[in-house]
Amino acid sequence: METQTVASPEKAPAAAPAASGDPGLAVLEPFFADLEKRLDALLEARLDAVEARRRQAEREALLNRFAAEHPDFRGLAENGALEAQKRANALLDDVGAYFAHHLAAERQARDAAVADARREGAAAAEAGLMEKLRTKGLARTLGAATATPDRGRGPDPDLAAPEKFGGIHAVLAARLAARRQSAGA
């Protein structure tokens, strides 16, 4: 028995392009090839346009969602704050300009708080220094008043050993009474 092999359509060798034996078809082949190239370019351009519209719609949806999550976004866009940020930095888009605006506002608030704290610290330090100087000046004045008449005599014996005269409080009270009496009070 003889077996016949029948070639299936999947295994059939690919048919070679028909060599046009007709000279009329040979003239049309470059036209069809050019038409096919133009059709491919047109399809590619249309697909690119559809993809660009899809990306734009997706971007607008994301931007609307962002605006819903950040209520001040639309207001900043309308008053020109975002445009000012984008002019200052050409790499920013609307969302980047929004965050740059908020960072700048936070930086200004922080700088103002630091400046206020510095002013308050300087005022407190100045007040403390003035109080110290007044206290030292008062101490010098009090010390100079008691030291001036006694300059040539040396240390006071009643202050050198106040316990002999009833203690420091008794010595100071006696001095005060003597000053008042000499002043005529």
Side-chain angles (χ1 to χ4, degrees), residues 2 9 11 16-17 25 45-47 50 55 62 75 80 100 105 108 111 120 128 135 147 152-153 164 168 175 184:
E2 288 183 25
K11 295 182 181 177
L25 287 177
R46 295 293 172 122
L47 288 175
V50 167
R55 276 187 270 149
L62 289 173
Q108 285 177 339
D111 290 348
E120 289 173 7
T135 305
R153 290 187 282 166
K164 289 181 185 177
I168 188 76
R175 280 187 171 192

Side-chain angles (χ1 to χ4, degrees), residues 132-148 151:
K132 280 183 181 179
L133 290 176
R134 276 191 215 110
T135 305
K136 284 183 180 181
L138 183 59
R140 275 193 215 126
T141 304
L142 291 175
T146 59
T148 306
R151 228 177 241 168

Side-chain angles (χ1 to χ4, degrees), residues 10 12 37 51-52 83-84 92 94-95 99 104 108 116 129 134 139 165 185:
E10 293 97 24
K37 286 179 189 176
E51 179 65 19
E83 285 301 319
L92 296 177
D94 289 341
V95 175
F99 286 118
Q108 285 177 339
D116 289 344
L129 181 62
R134 276 191 215 110
F165 304 102

Side-chain angles (χ1 to χ4, degrees), residues 86-177:
K86 290 193 307 190
R87 277 192 304 273
N89 186 346
L91 296 175
L92 296 177
D93 61 351
D94 289 341
V95 175
Y98 173 81
F99 286 118
H101 172 77
H102 279 283
L103 285 174
E106 286 178 18
R107 187 178 307 123
Q108 285 177 339
R110 185 191 68 231
D111 290 348
V114 167
D116 289 344
R118 283 182 181 159
R119 277 193 295 276
E120 289 173 7
E126 183 180 357
L129 181 62
M130 292 304 289
E131 184 62 32
K132 280 183 181 179
L133 290 176
R134 276 191 215 110
T135 305
K136 284 183 180 181
L138 183 59
R140 275 193 215 126
T141 304
L142 291 175
T146 59
T148 306
D150 303 332
R151 228 177 241 168
R153 290 187 282 166
D156 287 338
D158 54 345
L159 287 180
E163 44 291 328
K164 289 181 185 177
F165 304 102
I168 188 76
H169 295 291
V171 171
L172 292 176
R175 280 187 171 192
L176 181 62

